[in-house]
Amino acid sequence: MTEQPKTRVSVRIYGQDYTIVGAESPAHIRLVAAFVDDKMHEFSEKNPLLDVPKLAVLTAVNIASEYLKLKEEYQRLAEKLKQEKDGKQDD
C-alpha cells in the first residue's frame, strides 16, 4: 500500500498561523481553514466575551452539528434513491 504525498499549507485561523499537513489539495485545505476562520469570527461577534478556547469549542460543536445533519440528510436521500431504483427494477 502506497501512502499519498502529504501537502503542507500555511493558513491563518482567527489571527493565528497554522501549518496544516494533509493529503488534500492546498486549495481544499485553504477552503477548510477559511470556513473555520469565518465560523469563529461569526460566533465571536455573537459571543464577544468568550475566550479563544471556548470559542474554538463552540465553533467545533456547531460545525459538527451541521456535519451530522448533512450526513443524516445524505443517508436519507441515498436510501430514498435506492428504494426508487429497486422499485424501477421490479417493473
Side-chain angles (χ1 to χ4, degrees):
M1 204 167 30
T2 60
E3 275 191 46
Q4 287 184 297
K6 300 289 185 188
T7 303
R8 298 175 68 84
V9 180
S10 295
V11 298
R12 180 173 280 264
I13 300 173
Y14 205 68
Q16 187 73 32
D17 292 324
Y18 296 92
T19 299
I20 308 292
V21 179
E24 301 295 335
S25 71
H28 178 79
I29 293 170
R30 284 188 201 96
L31 181 65
V32 169
F35 180 78
V36 172
D37 183 64
D38 289 346
K39 286 292 187 182
M40 287 187 74
H41 283 285
E42 177 186 327
F43 293 124
S44 176
E45 289 174 12
K46 294 176 185 174
N47 304 284
L49 300 179
L50 285 179
D51 60 16
V52 174
K54 288 182 182 173
L55 178 62
V57 170
L58 175 65
T59 302
V61 168
N62 277 272
I63 291 172
S65 175
E66 289 176 17
Y67 166 76
L68 291 173
K69 286 177 187 177
L70 287 170
K71 185 177 175 184
E72 288 172 3
E73 180 67 6
Y74 171 81
Q75 289 171 337
R76 187 187 68 75
L77 290 171
E79 182 60 32
K80 183 177 178 181
L81 182 61
K82 182 181 181 299
Q83 289 173 355
E84 288 177 3
K85 283 184 179 180
D86 290 345
K88 287 183 180 180
Q89 290 177 356
D90 292 341
D91 292 340

